[in-house]
């Protein structure tokens, strides 16, 4: 009886494999486009909502209450993603992509972070020189 058990090959237990996450399948060129797009989409939505409602940023943000309550609500609702959510989410995505994609070269891993920094630099320094107030 002991010889029978010693002749059998040991059982190999296979661990279940997890399918790769979407971030691990995302091409680096597409990630370099998504990161700045996360910054621009809330800006475009804000511009659209302000144009459609007729709200004025100066009236709503600096206390001259010539806007209707609905227009003030739109301005308050739009200010959160523009000031806080868009930059934080964009940088979070860039850092997460760089940390998850160890299979890529260092330059390709950090390209989304670089593009986000360049876009923020352009928004902060280039727009005031063109006459836009931030």
């Amino acid at each position: 009886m002991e010889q029978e058990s010693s002749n059998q090959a040991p059982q190999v237990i296979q661990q279940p494999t997890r399918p790769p996450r979407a971030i691990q399948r995302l091409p680096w060129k597409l990630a370099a486009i998504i990161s700045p797009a996360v910054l621009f989409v809330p800006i475009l939505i804000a511009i659209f909502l302000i144009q459609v409602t007729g709200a004025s940023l100066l009236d709503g943000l600096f206390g001259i209450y010539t806007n209707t309550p609905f227009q003030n609500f739109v301005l308050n609702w739009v200010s959160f993603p523009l000031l806080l959510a868009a930059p934080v989410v964009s940088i979070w995505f860039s850092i997460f992509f760089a940390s998850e994609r160890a299979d890529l070269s260092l330059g390709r891993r950090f390209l989304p972070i670089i593009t986000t920094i360049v876009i923020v630099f352009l928004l902060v320094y280039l727009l005031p020189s063109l006459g836009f107030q931030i």
Side-chain angles (χ1 to χ4, degrees):
M1 290 241 173
E2 289 180 24
Q3 279 187 340
E4 278 184 33
S5 62
S6 64
N7 289 339
Q8 293 179 347
Q11 296 275 338
V12 177
I13 300 173
Q14 289 185 338
Q15 297 291 332
T17 57
R18 208 173 87 194
R21 290 194 249 176
I23 197 82
Q24 293 169 340
R25 291 178 290 161
L26 186 67
W28 64 273
K29 291 178 183 178
L30 188 58
I33 294 170
I34 289 174
S35 183
V38 170
L39 281 173
F40 282 123
V41 168
I43 292 171
L44 294 176
I45 291 172
I47 290 170
F48 175 75
L49 287 175
I50 289 170
Q51 291 296 323
V52 167
T53 61
S56 171
L57 282 173
L58 294 176
D59 292 345
L61 297 178
F62 293 109
I64 303 169
Y65 296 106
T66 59
N67 290 334
T68 64
F70 176 71
Q71 290 171 338
N72 286 331
F73 169 75
V74 167
L75 289 174
N76 291 332
W77 183 76
V78 162
S79 65
F80 174 73
L82 286 179
L83 299 177
L84 298 174
V88 170
V89 170
S90 178
I91 290 176
W92 174 82
F93 171 78
S94 301
I95 291 171
F96 185 69
F97 180 81
S99 65
E100 284 288 317
R101 293 300 301 266
D103 59 326
L104 295 175
S105 66
L106 200 59
R108 290 180 177 175
R109 287 170 60 184
F110 286 100
L111 190 63
I113 295 173
I114 293 168
T115 56
T116 303
I117 290 171
V118 167
I119 295 297
V120 169
F121 174 78
L122 289 175
L123 286 175
V124 170
Y125 291 107
L126 188 62
L127 286 179
S129 68
L130 294 174
F132 293 100
Q133 296 287 329
I134 296 179

